[in-house]
Amino acid sequence: MMRQETETPPRPLPAQDHAFLEEKAFRSRTVLVFGTITDALAAETVRKLLALDAESTAPITLVVSSPGGHLESGDAIHDVVRFVASPVSMVGTGWVGSAATHLYLGAPRERRFCLPQTRFLIHQPSGGAGGPASDIALQAEQIIKARERIAQVIARESGQPIERVRQDIERDLWMPAEEAVAYGLVSRIVQRRHELGLG
């Protein structure tokens, strides 16, 4: 009878190793956005973008792999990417979904890249409305406004007609890398860092 190997979960990096790797990434003007988009992640990302921008106007690379999360936290990163003087290049990897796609679209199209296995997801926002009927009505109104705002951003940044985008985000629309390029979310698929080729 064969012995079954039991998988041991990966151990978290010791604090000093984590800090060292963060420092190396920061010095290379690379910011990582991994995991669910929360207000804490947005604050950390914005802080790094502002610090790098204060240091110099050399390009910054934002590497994104996230299923999405809090829309307004994604808004904060999206807007600060446009706010800083340093040109920001986005590199999608893994999956870039929902609010993560929104922040990814903060960079101009020519600075939006992805690695070959990346998948993208666009859809309308969702909400868990509860409470008195008047509150539910207000929440529903805000979700409708957010859906239109998202559709406008996707249309503007992809070049797709707004009518098509409104229809596409009615349900989850998954796109592999090649389809995301054809749709206009991504400029180019790259496999090596030097292929970014932007100063």
Side-chain angles (χ1 to χ4, degrees), residues 62 64 74 77-79 81-82 90 96 98-109 112 120-122 150-159 165 180 183-187:
L62 215 65
V64 182
I77 300 170
H78 175 107
D79 289 348
V81 163
R82 292 170 172 262
M90 294 285 180
V96 180
S98 191
T101 303
H102 183 62
L103 76 84
Y104 178 88
L105 293 175
R109 192 184 309 182
R112 298 196 303 258
F120 289 81
L121 167 66
I122 58 173
I150 288 167
Q152 293 285 349
V153 169
I154 294 170
R156 183 189 72 218
E157 295 302 323
S158 68
V165 173
Y183 199 87
L185 298 180
V186 179
S187 164

PDB file of all heavy atoms in Angstrom, residues 62 64 74 77-79 81-82 90 96 98-109 112 120-122 150-159 165 180 183-187:
ATOM      1  N   LEU A  62       3.271  48.567 -11.461  1.00  0.00           N
ATOM      2  CA  LEU A  62       2.292  48.008 -10.526  1.00  0.00           C
ATOM      3  C   LEU A  62       1.944  46.610 -11.018  1.00  0.00           C
ATOM      4  O   LEU A  62       1.450  46.454 -12.134  1.00  0.00           O
ATOM      5  CB  LEU A  62       1.042  48.890 -10.503  1.00  0.00           C
ATOM      6  CG  LEU A  62       0.285  49.068  -9.196  1.00  0.00           C
ATOM      7  CD1 LEU A  62       1.141  49.799  -8.188  1.00  0.00           C
ATOM      8  CD2 LEU A  62      -0.994  49.857  -9.426  1.00  0.00           C
ATOM      9  N   VAL A  64      -0.389  43.420 -10.592  1.00  0.00           N
ATOM     10  CA  VAL A  64      -1.726  43.210 -10.017  1.00  0.00           C
ATOM     11  C   VAL A  64      -2.176  41.765 -10.196  1.00  0.00           C
ATOM     12  O   VAL A  64      -2.164  41.230 -11.311  1.00  0.00           O
ATOM     13  CB  VAL A  64      -2.770  44.139 -10.689  1.00  0.00           C
ATOM     14  CG1 VAL A  64      -4.149  43.957 -10.055  1.00  0.00           C
ATOM     15  CG2 VAL A  64      -2.336  45.588 -10.625  1.00  0.00           C
ATOM     16  N   GLY A  74     -10.614  50.405  -4.842  1.00  0.00           N
ATOM     17  CA  GLY A  74     -10.065  50.345  -6.197  1.00  0.00           C
ATOM     18  C   GLY A  74     -10.045  51.720  -6.842  1.00  0.00           C
ATOM     19  O   GLY A  74      -9.092  52.083  -7.548  1.00  0.00           O
ATOM     20  N   ILE A  77      -6.927  53.740  -5.739  1.00  0.00           N
ATOM     21  CA  ILE A  77      -5.693  53.383  -6.446  1.00  0.00           C
ATOM     22  C   ILE A  77      -5.752  53.875  -7.890  1.00  0.00           C
ATOM     23  O   ILE A  77      -4.789  54.459  -8.401  1.00  0.00           O
ATOM     24  CB  ILE A  77      -5.450  51.863  -6.381  1.00  0.00           C
ATOM     25  CG1 ILE A  77      -5.331  51.407  -4.925  1.00  0.00           C
ATOM     26  CG2 ILE A  77      -4.193  51.492  -7.171  1.00  0.00           C
ATOM     27  CD1 ILE A  77      -5.320  49.899  -4.738  1.00  0.00           C
ATOM     28  N   HIS A  78      -6.890  53.650  -8.546  1.00  0.00           N
ATOM     29  CA  HIS A  78      -7.091  54.102  -9.932  1.00  0.00           C
ATOM     30  C   HIS A  78      -6.772  55.595 -10.066  1.00  0.00           C
ATOM     31  O   HIS A  78      -6.023  56.013 -10.953  1.00  0.00           O
ATOM     32  CB  HIS A  78      -8.547  53.820 -10.330  1.00  0.00           C
ATOM     33  CG  HIS A  78      -8.942  54.326 -11.680  1.00  0.00           C
ATOM     34  ND1 HIS A  78      -9.132  53.488 -12.762  1.00  0.00           N
ATOM     35  CD2 HIS A  78      -9.192  55.573 -12.128  1.00  0.00           C
ATOM     36  CE1 HIS A  78      -9.486  54.215 -13.821  1.00  0.00           C
ATOM     37  NE2 HIS A  78      -9.537  55.478 -13.459  1.00  0.00           N
ATOM     38  N   ASP A  79      -7.327  56.393  -9.168  1.00  0.00           N
ATOM     39  CA  ASP A  79      -7.172  57.849  -9.262  1.00  0.00           C
ATOM     40  C   ASP A  79      -5.758  58.305  -8.929  1.00  0.00           C
ATOM     41  O   ASP A  79      -5.241  59.239  -9.548  1.00  0.00           O
ATOM     42  CB  ASP A  79      -8.193  58.551  -8.357  1.00  0.00           C
ATOM     43  CG  ASP A  79      -9.616  58.445  -8.890  1.00  0.00           C
ATOM     44  OD1 ASP A  79      -9.794  58.041 -10.051  1.00  0.00           O
ATOM     45  OD2 ASP A  79     -10.554  58.767  -8.132  1.00  0.00           O
ATOM     46  N   VAL A  81      -3.007  56.542  -9.379  1.00  0.00           N
ATOM     47  CA  VAL A  81      -2.170  56.182 -10.538  1.00  0.00           C
ATOM     48  C   VAL A  81      -2.166  57.321 -11.549  1.00  0.00           C
ATOM     49  O   VAL A  81      -1.139  57.649 -12.146  1.00  0.00           O
ATOM     50  CB  VAL A  81      -2.673  54.861 -11.184  1.00  0.00           C
ATOM     51  CG1 VAL A  81      -2.116  54.666 -12.588  1.00  0.00           C
ATOM     52  CG2 VAL A  81      -2.321  53.673 -10.298  1.00  0.00           C
ATOM     53  N   ARG A  82      -3.324  57.966 -11.714  1.00  0.00           N
ATOM     54  CA  ARG A  82      -3.428  59.096 -12.640  1.00  0.00           C
ATOM     55  C   ARG A  82      -2.907  60.393 -12.030  1.00  0.00           C
ATOM     56  O   ARG A  82      -2.505  61.300 -12.753  1.00  0.00           O
ATOM     57  CB  ARG A  82      -4.897  59.284 -13.051  1.00  0.00           C
ATOM     58  CG  ARG A  82      -5.394  58.150 -13.906  1.00  0.00           C
ATOM     59  CD  ARG A  82      -6.901  58.191 -14.117  1.00  0.00           C
ATOM     60  NE  ARG A  82      -7.238  57.171 -15.089  1.00  0.00           N
ATOM     61  CZ  ARG A  82      -7.423  57.397 -16.381  1.00  0.00           C
ATOM     62  NH1 ARG A  82      -7.332  58.617 -16.854  1.00  0.00           N
ATOM     63  NH2 ARG A  82      -7.691  56.419 -17.203  1.00  0.00           N
ATOM     64  N   MET A  90       0.975  49.001 -15.666  1.00  0.00           N
ATOM     65  CA  MET A  90       0.282  47.904 -15.000  1.00  0.00           C
ATOM     66  C   MET A  90       0.707  46.587 -15.627  1.00  0.00           C
ATOM     67  O   MET A  90       0.785  46.475 -16.855  1.00  0.00           O
ATOM     68  CB  MET A  90      -1.236  48.037 -15.175  1.00  0.00           C
ATOM     69  CG  MET A  90      -1.851  49.230 -14.492  1.00  0.00           C
ATOM     70  SD  MET A  90      -1.937  48.966 -12.714  1.00  0.00           S
ATOM     71  CE  MET A  90      -2.681  50.524 -12.224  1.00  0.00           C
ATOM     72  N   VAL A  96      -7.227  39.194 -12.700  1.00  0.00           N
ATOM     73  CA  VAL A  96      -7.489  40.614 -12.445  1.00  0.00           C
ATOM     74  C   VAL A  96      -8.995  40.773 -12.612  1.00  0.00           C
ATOM     75  O   VAL A  96      -9.505  40.772 -13.735  1.00  0.00           O
ATOM     76  CB  VAL A  96      -6.707  41.518 -13.436  1.00  0.00           C
ATOM     77  CG1 VAL A  96      -6.997  42.985 -13.151  1.00  0.00           C
ATOM     78  CG2 VAL A  96      -5.207  41.247 -13.352  1.00  0.00           C
ATOM     79  N   SER A  98     -12.975  42.391 -11.396  1.00  0.00           N
ATOM     80  CA  SER A  98     -13.866  43.314 -10.713  1.00  0.00           C
ATOM     81  C   SER A  98     -13.165  44.623 -10.350  1.00  0.00           C
ATOM     82  O   SER A  98     -12.687  45.340 -11.227  1.00  0.00           O
ATOM     83  CB  SER A  98     -14.439  42.597  -9.480  1.00  0.00           C
ATOM     84  OG  SER A  98     -15.484  43.313  -8.902  1.00  0.00           O
ATOM     85  N   ALA A  99     -13.074  44.965  -9.056  1.00  0.00           N
ATOM     86  CA  ALA A  99     -12.435  46.211  -8.633  1.00  0.00           C
ATOM     87  C   ALA A  99     -10.963  46.253  -9.017  1.00  0.00           C
ATOM     88  O   ALA A  99     -10.389  47.326  -9.209  1.00  0.00           O
ATOM     89  CB  ALA A  99     -12.587  46.399  -7.121  1.00  0.00           C
ATOM     90  N   ALA A 100     -10.323  45.081  -9.155  1.00  0.00           N
ATOM     91  CA  ALA A 100      -8.925  45.048  -9.588  1.00  0.00           C
ATOM     92  C   ALA A 100      -8.807  45.448 -11.052  1.00  0.00           C
ATOM     93  O   ALA A 100      -7.854  46.130 -11.445  1.00  0.00           O
ATOM     94  CB  ALA A 100      -8.320  43.664  -9.355  1.00  0.00           C
ATOM     95  N   THR A 101      -9.774  45.045 -11.880  1.00  0.00           N
ATOM     96  CA  THR A 101      -9.781  45.486 -13.281  1.00  0.00           C
ATOM     97  C   THR A 101      -9.944  47.000 -13.329  1.00  0.00           C
ATOM     98  O   THR A 101      -9.306  47.681 -14.135  1.00  0.00           O
ATOM     99  CB  THR A 101     -10.923  44.799 -14.070  1.00  0.00           C
ATOM    100  OG1 THR A 101     -10.774  43.383 -13.972  1.00  0.00           O
ATOM    101  CG2 THR A 101     -10.905  45.209 -15.531  1.00  0.00           C
ATOM    102  N   HIS A 102     -10.778  47.521 -12.443  1.00  0.00           N
ATOM    103  CA  HIS A 102     -11.017  48.967 -12.401  1.00  0.00           C
ATOM    104  C   HIS A 102      -9.726  49.720 -12.076  1.00  0.00           C
ATOM    105  O   HIS A 102      -9.382  50.692 -12.758  1.00  0.00           O
ATOM    106  CB  HIS A 102     -12.104  49.274 -11.378  1.00  0.00           C
ATOM    107  CG  HIS A 102     -12.476  50.711 -11.294  1.00  0.00           C
ATOM    108  ND1 HIS A 102     -13.004  51.414 -12.352  1.00  0.00           N
ATOM    109  CD2 HIS A 102     -12.388  51.599 -10.276  1.00  0.00           C
ATOM    110  CE1 HIS A 102     -13.217  52.667 -11.984  1.00  0.00           C
ATOM    111  NE2 HIS A 102     -12.849  52.801 -10.723  1.00  0.00           N
ATOM    112  N   LEU A 103      -8.987  49.277 -11.074  1.00  0.00           N
ATOM    113  CA  LEU A 103      -7.737  49.985 -10.745  1.00  0.00           C
ATOM    114  C   LEU A 103      -6.702  49.772 -11.842  1.00  0.00           C
ATOM    115  O   LEU A 103      -5.908  50.672 -12.142  1.00  0.00           O
ATOM    116  CB  LEU A 103      -7.212  49.574  -9.369  1.00  0.00           C
ATOM    117  CG  LEU A 103      -6.526  48.220  -9.182  1.00  0.00           C
ATOM    118  CD1 LEU A 103      -5.059  48.265  -9.539  1.00  0.00           C
ATOM    119  CD2 LEU A 103      -6.694  47.763  -7.745  1.00  0.00           C
ATOM    120  N   TYR A 104      -6.712  48.587 -12.473  1.00  0.00           N
ATOM    121  CA  TYR A 104      -5.796  48.282 -13.578  1.00  0.00           C
ATOM    122  C   TYR A 104      -5.988  49.282 -14.719  1.00  0.00           C
ATOM    123  O   TYR A 104      -5.030  49.693 -15.376  1.00  0.00           O
ATOM    124  CB  TYR A 104      -6.071  46.848 -14.038  1.00  0.00           C
ATOM    125  CG  TYR A 104      -5.256  46.368 -15.211  1.00  0.00           C
ATOM    126  CD1 TYR A 104      -4.009  45.782 -15.025  1.00  0.00           C
ATOM    127  CD2 TYR A 104      -5.750  46.457 -16.511  1.00  0.00           C
ATOM    128  CE1 TYR A 104      -3.269  45.321 -16.100  1.00  0.00           C
ATOM    129  CE2 TYR A 104      -5.018  46.003 -17.590  1.00  0.00           C
ATOM    130  CZ  TYR A 104      -3.776  45.433 -17.372  1.00  0.00           C
ATOM    131  OH  TYR A 104      -3.039  44.976 -18.448  1.00  0.00           O
ATOM    132  N   LEU A 105      -7.229  49.704 -14.941  1.00  0.00           N
ATOM    133  CA  LEU A 105      -7.535  50.651 -16.023  1.00  0.00           C
ATOM    134  C   LEU A 105      -7.127  52.081 -15.688  1.00  0.00           C
ATOM    135  O   LEU A 105      -7.324  52.988 -16.499  1.00  0.00           O
ATOM    136  CB  LEU A 105      -9.034  50.596 -16.359  1.00  0.00           C
ATOM    137  CG  LEU A 105      -9.521  49.280 -16.975  1.00  0.00           C
ATOM    138  CD1 LEU A 105     -11.035  49.296 -17.150  1.00  0.00           C
ATOM    139  CD2 LEU A 105      -8.828  48.990 -18.291  1.00  0.00           C
ATOM    140  N   GLY A 106      -6.503  52.288 -14.523  1.00  0.00           N
ATOM    141  CA  GLY A 106      -5.992  53.611 -14.175  1.00  0.00           C
ATOM    142  C   GLY A 106      -4.814  54.028 -15.045  1.00  0.00           C
ATOM    143  O   GLY A 106      -4.565  55.219 -15.234  1.00  0.00           O
ATOM    144  N   ALA A 107      -4.078  53.054 -15.574  1.00  0.00           N
ATOM    145  CA  ALA A 107      -2.945  53.360 -16.455  1.00  0.00           C
ATOM    146  C   ALA A 107      -3.445  53.534 -17.885  1.00  0.00           C
ATOM    147  O   ALA A 107      -4.435  52.912 -18.286  1.00  0.00           O
ATOM    148  CB  ALA A 107      -1.921  52.226 -16.398  1.00  0.00           C
ATOM    149  N   PRO A 108      -2.769  54.364 -18.678  1.00  0.00           N
ATOM    150  CA  PRO A 108      -3.162  54.491 -20.091  1.00  0.00           C
ATOM    151  C   PRO A 108      -2.963  53.164 -20.819  1.00  0.00           C
ATOM    152  O   PRO A 108      -2.135  52.332 -20.406  1.00  0.00           O
ATOM    153  CB  PRO A 108      -2.227  55.579 -20.637  1.00  0.00           C
ATOM    154  CG  PRO A 108      -1.101  55.660 -19.678  1.00  0.00           C
ATOM    155  CD  PRO A 108      -1.618  55.214 -18.348  1.00  0.00           C
ATOM    156  N   ARG A 109      -3.716  52.947 -21.891  1.00  0.00           N
ATOM    157  CA  ARG A 109      -3.713  51.637 -22.556  1.00  0.00           C
ATOM    158  C   ARG A 109      -2.315  51.182 -22.956  1.00  0.00           C
ATOM    159  O   ARG A 109      -1.971  50.010 -22.820  1.00  0.00           O
ATOM    160  CB  ARG A 109      -4.618  51.642 -23.786  1.00  0.00           C
ATOM    161  CG  ARG A 109      -4.860  50.222 -24.298  1.00  0.00           C
ATOM    162  CD  ARG A 109      -5.655  50.135 -25.570  1.00  0.00           C
ATOM    163  NE  ARG A 109      -6.872  50.892 -25.506  1.00  0.00           N
ATOM    164  CZ  ARG A 109      -7.757  50.940 -26.498  1.00  0.00           C
ATOM    165  NH1 ARG A 109      -7.545  50.270 -27.607  1.00  0.00           N
ATOM    166  NH2 ARG A 109      -8.856  51.673 -26.384  1.00  0.00           N
ATOM    167  N   ARG A 112      -0.564  49.211 -20.235  1.00  0.00           N
ATOM    168  CA  ARG A 112      -1.268  48.083 -19.607  1.00  0.00           C
ATOM    169  C   ARG A 112      -0.810  46.782 -20.262  1.00  0.00           C
ATOM    170  O   ARG A 112      -1.024  46.567 -21.454  1.00  0.00           O
ATOM    171  CB  ARG A 112      -2.786  48.263 -19.719  1.00  0.00           C
ATOM    172  CG  ARG A 112      -3.284  49.496 -18.998  1.00  0.00           C
ATOM    173  CD  ARG A 112      -4.775  49.484 -18.759  1.00  0.00           C
ATOM    174  NE  ARG A 112      -5.597  49.351 -19.935  1.00  0.00           N
ATOM    175  CZ  ARG A 112      -6.245  50.364 -20.524  1.00  0.00           C
ATOM    176  NH1 ARG A 112      -6.154  51.600 -20.035  1.00  0.00           N
ATOM    177  NH2 ARG A 112      -6.996  50.144 -21.589  1.00  0.00           N
ATOM    178  N   PHE A 120      -9.008  38.040 -16.941  1.00  0.00           N
ATOM    179  CA  PHE A 120      -9.654  39.286 -16.532  1.00  0.00           C
ATOM    180  C   PHE A 120     -11.149  39.042 -16.367  1.00  0.00           C
ATOM    181  O   PHE A 120     -11.742  38.224 -17.066  1.00  0.00           O
ATOM    182  CB  PHE A 120      -9.427  40.381 -17.582  1.00  0.00           C
ATOM    183  CG  PHE A 120      -8.013  40.873 -17.632  1.00  0.00           C
ATOM    184  CD1 PHE A 120      -7.044  40.165 -18.325  1.00  0.00           C
ATOM    185  CD2 PHE A 120      -7.633  42.033 -16.965  1.00  0.00           C
ATOM    186  CE1 PHE A 120      -5.730  40.602 -18.365  1.00  0.00           C
ATOM    187  CE2 PHE A 120      -6.327  42.480 -16.995  1.00  0.00           C
ATOM    188  CZ  PHE A 120      -5.368  41.755 -17.699  1.00  0.00           C
ATOM    189  N   LEU A 121     -11.749  39.780 -15.436  1.00  0.00           N
ATOM    190  CA  LEU A 121     -13.189  39.676 -15.189  1.00  0.00           C
ATOM    191  C   LEU A 121     -13.771  41.074 -15.087  1.00  0.00           C
ATOM    192  O   LEU A 121     -13.281  41.911 -14.328  1.00  0.00           O
ATOM    193  CB  LEU A 121     -13.456  38.921 -13.874  1.00  0.00           C
ATOM    194  CG  LEU A 121     -14.895  38.993 -13.326  1.00  0.00           C
ATOM    195  CD1 LEU A 121     -15.873  38.289 -14.267  1.00  0.00           C
ATOM    196  CD2 LEU A 121     -14.955  38.408 -11.923  1.00  0.00           C
ATOM    197  N   ILE A 122     -14.803  41.324 -15.889  1.00  0.00           N
ATOM    198  CA  ILE A 122     -15.584  42.550 -15.713  1.00  0.00           C
ATOM    199  C   ILE A 122     -17.029  42.167 -15.412  1.00  0.00           C
ATOM    200  O   ILE A 122     -17.537  41.174 -15.918  1.00  0.00           O
ATOM    201  CB  ILE A 122     -15.511  43.499 -16.947  1.00  0.00           C
ATOM    202  CG1 ILE A 122     -16.003  42.814 -18.225  1.00  0.00           C
ATOM    203  CG2 ILE A 122     -14.099  44.030 -17.141  1.00  0.00           C
ATOM    204  CD1 ILE A 122     -16.118  43.750 -19.430  1.00  0.00           C
ATOM    205  N   ILE A 150     -18.736  52.472 -13.745  1.00  0.00           N
ATOM    206  CA  ILE A 150     -17.820  51.410 -14.162  1.00  0.00           C
ATOM    207  C   ILE A 150     -17.899  51.214 -15.674  1.00  0.00           C
ATOM    208  O   ILE A 150     -16.878  51.098 -16.361  1.00  0.00           O
ATOM    209  CB  ILE A 150     -18.143  50.095 -13.420  1.00  0.00           C
ATOM    210  CG1 ILE A 150     -17.727  50.215 -11.960  1.00  0.00           C
ATOM    211  CG2 ILE A 150     -17.445  48.906 -14.073  1.00  0.00           C
ATOM    212  CD1 ILE A 150     -18.283  49.116 -11.082  1.00  0.00           C
ATOM    213  N   ALA A 151     -19.124  51.177 -16.196  1.00  0.00           N
ATOM    214  CA  ALA A 151     -19.304  50.996 -17.645  1.00  0.00           C
ATOM    215  C   ALA A 151     -18.631  52.122 -18.422  1.00  0.00           C
ATOM    216  O   ALA A 151     -17.976  51.884 -19.444  1.00  0.00           O
ATOM    217  CB  ALA A 151     -20.794  50.923 -17.983  1.00  0.00           C
ATOM    218  N   GLN A 152     -18.766  53.357 -17.935  1.00  0.00           N
ATOM    219  CA  GLN A 152     -18.156  54.509 -18.613  1.00  0.00           C
ATOM    220  C   GLN A 152     -16.627  54.390 -18.621  1.00  0.00           C
ATOM    221  O   GLN A 152     -15.981  54.680 -19.638  1.00  0.00           O
ATOM    222  CB  GLN A 152     -18.572  55.813 -17.926  1.00  0.00           C
ATOM    223  CG  GLN A 152     -20.055  56.160 -18.052  1.00  0.00           C
ATOM    224  CD  GLN A 152     -20.440  56.670 -19.434  1.00  0.00           C
ATOM    225  OE1 GLN A 152     -19.602  56.968 -20.262  1.00  0.00           O
ATOM    226  NE2 GLN A 152     -21.744  56.770 -19.667  1.00  0.00           N
ATOM    227  N   VAL A 153     -16.041  53.971 -17.492  1.00  0.00           N
ATOM    228  CA  VAL A 153     -14.577  53.824 -17.408  1.00  0.00           C
ATOM    229  C   VAL A 153     -14.106  52.732 -18.361  1.00  0.00           C
ATOM    230  O   VAL A 153     -13.134  52.913 -19.113  1.00  0.00           O
ATOM    231  CB  VAL A 153     -14.129  53.528 -15.959  1.00  0.00           C
ATOM    232  CG1 VAL A 153     -12.650  53.119 -15.925  1.00  0.00           C
ATOM    233  CG2 VAL A 153     -14.362  54.739 -15.070  1.00  0.00           C
ATOM    234  N   ILE A 154     -14.779  51.572 -18.343  1.00  0.00           N
ATOM    235  CA  ILE A 154     -14.379  50.469 -19.223  1.00  0.00           C
ATOM    236  C   ILE A 154     -14.485  50.893 -20.686  1.00  0.00           C
ATOM    237  O   ILE A 154     -13.579  50.626 -21.488  1.00  0.00           O
ATOM    238  CB  ILE A 154     -15.226  49.203 -18.952  1.00  0.00           C
ATOM    239  CG1 ILE A 154     -14.930  48.659 -17.550  1.00  0.00           C
ATOM    240  CG2 ILE A 154     -14.947  48.129 -20.011  1.00  0.00           C
ATOM    241  CD1 ILE A 154     -15.869  47.557 -17.099  1.00  0.00           C
ATOM    242  N   ALA A 155     -15.574  51.571 -21.035  1.00  0.00           N
ATOM    243  CA  ALA A 155     -15.752  52.018 -22.422  1.00  0.00           C
ATOM    244  C   ALA A 155     -14.658  53.000 -22.818  1.00  0.00           C
ATOM    245  O   ALA A 155     -14.045  52.879 -23.890  1.00  0.00           O
ATOM    246  CB  ALA A 155     -17.134  52.645 -22.597  1.00  0.00           C
ATOM    247  N   ARG A 156     -14.390  53.968 -21.954  1.00  0.00           N
ATOM    248  CA  ARG A 156     -13.366  54.981 -22.246  1.00  0.00           C
ATOM    249  C   ARG A 156     -11.989  54.354 -22.409  1.00  0.00           C
ATOM    250  O   ARG A 156     -11.238  54.696 -23.329  1.00  0.00           O
ATOM    251  CB  ARG A 156     -13.336  56.004 -21.112  1.00  0.00           C
ATOM    252  CG  ARG A 156     -12.350  57.159 -21.322  1.00  0.00           C
ATOM    253  CD  ARG A 156     -12.208  58.002 -20.064  1.00  0.00           C
ATOM    254  NE  ARG A 156     -11.474  57.295 -19.027  1.00  0.00           N
ATOM    255  CZ  ARG A 156     -11.752  57.358 -17.733  1.00  0.00           C
ATOM    256  NH1 ARG A 156     -12.756  58.078 -17.279  1.00  0.00           N
ATOM    257  NH2 ARG A 156     -11.019  56.683 -16.860  1.00  0.00           N
ATOM    258  N   GLU A 157     -11.651  53.419 -21.529  1.00  0.00           N
ATOM    259  CA  GLU A 157     -10.302  52.866 -21.520  1.00  0.00           C
ATOM    260  C   GLU A 157     -10.098  51.723 -22.504  1.00  0.00           C
ATOM    261  O   GLU A 157      -8.964  51.419 -22.866  1.00  0.00           O
ATOM    262  CB  GLU A 157      -9.933  52.401 -20.106  1.00  0.00           C
ATOM    263  CG  GLU A 157      -9.840  53.531 -19.100  1.00  0.00           C
ATOM    264  CD  GLU A 157      -8.829  54.598 -19.511  1.00  0.00           C
ATOM    265  OE1 GLU A 157      -7.776  54.239 -20.074  1.00  0.00           O
ATOM    266  OE2 GLU A 157      -9.105  55.789 -19.282  1.00  0.00           O
ATOM    267  N   SER A 158     -11.170  51.082 -22.936  1.00  0.00           N
ATOM    268  CA  SER A 158     -11.041  49.968 -23.881  1.00  0.00           C
ATOM    269  C   SER A 158     -11.328  50.390 -25.316  1.00  0.00           C
ATOM    270  O   SER A 158     -10.904  49.721 -26.254  1.00  0.00           O
ATOM    271  CB  SER A 158     -12.003  48.835 -23.498  1.00  0.00           C
ATOM    272  OG  SER A 158     -13.356  49.239 -23.688  1.00  0.00           O
ATOM    273  N   GLY A 159     -12.084  51.484 -25.467  1.00  0.00           N
ATOM    274  CA  GLY A 159     -12.506  51.888 -26.803  1.00  0.00           C
ATOM    275  C   GLY A 159     -13.772  51.185 -27.266  1.00  0.00           C
ATOM    276  O   GLY A 159     -14.221  51.373 -28.400  1.00  0.00           O
ATOM    277  N   VAL A 165     -20.545  47.640 -23.565  1.00  0.00           N
ATOM    278  CA  VAL A 165     -20.017  47.435 -22.212  1.00  0.00           C
ATOM    279  C   VAL A 165     -21.160  47.236 -21.224  1.00  0.00           C
ATOM    280  O   VAL A 165     -21.108  46.340 -20.369  1.00  0.00           O
ATOM    281  CB  VAL A 165     -19.114  48.609 -21.778  1.00  0.00           C
ATOM    282  CG1 VAL A 165     -18.703  48.461 -20.315  1.00  0.00           C
ATOM    283  CG2 VAL A 165     -17.876  48.701 -22.665  1.00  0.00           C
ATOM    284  N   ALA A 180      -8.614  39.759 -23.719  1.00  0.00           N
ATOM    285  CA  ALA A 180      -8.506  41.063 -23.047  1.00  0.00           C
ATOM    286  C   ALA A 180      -7.771  42.069 -23.924  1.00  0.00           C
ATOM    287  O   ALA A 180      -8.106  43.257 -23.937  1.00  0.00           O
ATOM    288  CB  ALA A 180      -7.793  40.905 -21.704  1.00  0.00           C
ATOM    289  N   TYR A 183     -10.252  43.063 -26.612  1.00  0.00           N
ATOM    290  CA  TYR A 183     -11.305  43.921 -26.041  1.00  0.00           C
ATOM    291  C   TYR A 183     -10.809  45.338 -25.792  1.00  0.00           C
ATOM    292  O   TYR A 183     -11.586  46.283 -25.766  1.00  0.00           O
ATOM    293  CB  TYR A 183     -11.807  43.293 -24.737  1.00  0.00           C
ATOM    294  CG  TYR A 183     -13.154  43.787 -24.272  1.00  0.00           C
ATOM    295  CD1 TYR A 183     -14.327  43.182 -24.726  1.00  0.00           C
ATOM    296  CD2 TYR A 183     -13.260  44.850 -23.381  1.00  0.00           C
ATOM    297  CE1 TYR A 183     -15.571  43.624 -24.286  1.00  0.00           C
ATOM    298  CE2 TYR A 183     -14.497  45.294 -22.936  1.00  0.00           C
ATOM    299  CZ  TYR A 183     -15.651  44.680 -23.395  1.00  0.00           C
ATOM    300  OH  TYR A 183     -16.874  45.130 -22.965  1.00  0.00           O
ATOM    301  N   GLY A 184      -9.486  45.472 -25.586  1.00  0.00           N
ATOM    302  CA  GLY A 184      -8.910  46.794 -25.333  1.00  0.00           C
ATOM    303  C   GLY A 184      -8.530  47.042 -23.883  1.00  0.00           C
ATOM    304  O   GLY A 184      -8.083  48.135 -23.545  1.00  0.00           O
ATOM    305  N   LEU A 185      -8.691  46.011 -23.029  1.00  0.00           N
ATOM    306  CA  LEU A 185      -8.278  46.180 -21.631  1.00  0.00           C
ATOM    307  C   LEU A 185      -6.754  46.209 -21.520  1.00  0.00           C
ATOM    308  O   LEU A 185      -6.201  46.907 -20.680  1.00  0.00           O
ATOM    309  CB  LEU A 185      -8.820  45.042 -20.763  1.00  0.00           C
ATOM    310  CG  LEU A 185     -10.332  44.876 -20.642  1.00  0.00           C
ATOM    311  CD1 LEU A 185     -10.656  43.695 -19.737  1.00  0.00           C
ATOM    312  CD2 LEU A 185     -10.991  46.150 -20.127  1.00  0.00           C
ATOM    313  N   VAL A 186      -6.102  45.434 -22.365  1.00  0.00           N
ATOM    314  CA  VAL A 186      -4.659  45.219 -22.294  1.00  0.00           C
ATOM    315  C   VAL A 186      -4.020  45.666 -23.598  1.00  0.00           C
ATOM    316  O   VAL A 186      -4.586  45.465 -24.676  1.00  0.00           O
ATOM    317  CB  VAL A 186      -4.349  43.718 -22.053  1.00  0.00           C
ATOM    318  CG1 VAL A 186      -2.853  43.450 -21.999  1.00  0.00           C
ATOM    319  CG2 VAL A 186      -5.025  43.229 -20.782  1.00  0.00           C
ATOM    320  N   SER A 187      -2.833  46.252 -23.486  1.00  0.00           N
ATOM    321  CA  SER A 187      -2.077  46.645 -24.681  1.00  0.00           C
ATOM    322  C   SER A 187      -1.355  45.446 -25.287  1.00  0.00           C
ATOM    323  O   SER A 187      -1.493  45.158 -26.470  1.00  0.00           O
ATOM    324  CB  SER A 187      -1.071  47.737 -24.311  1.00  0.00           C
ATOM    325  OG  SER A 187      -0.089  47.886 -25.296  1.00  0.00           O
TER     326      SER A 187
END
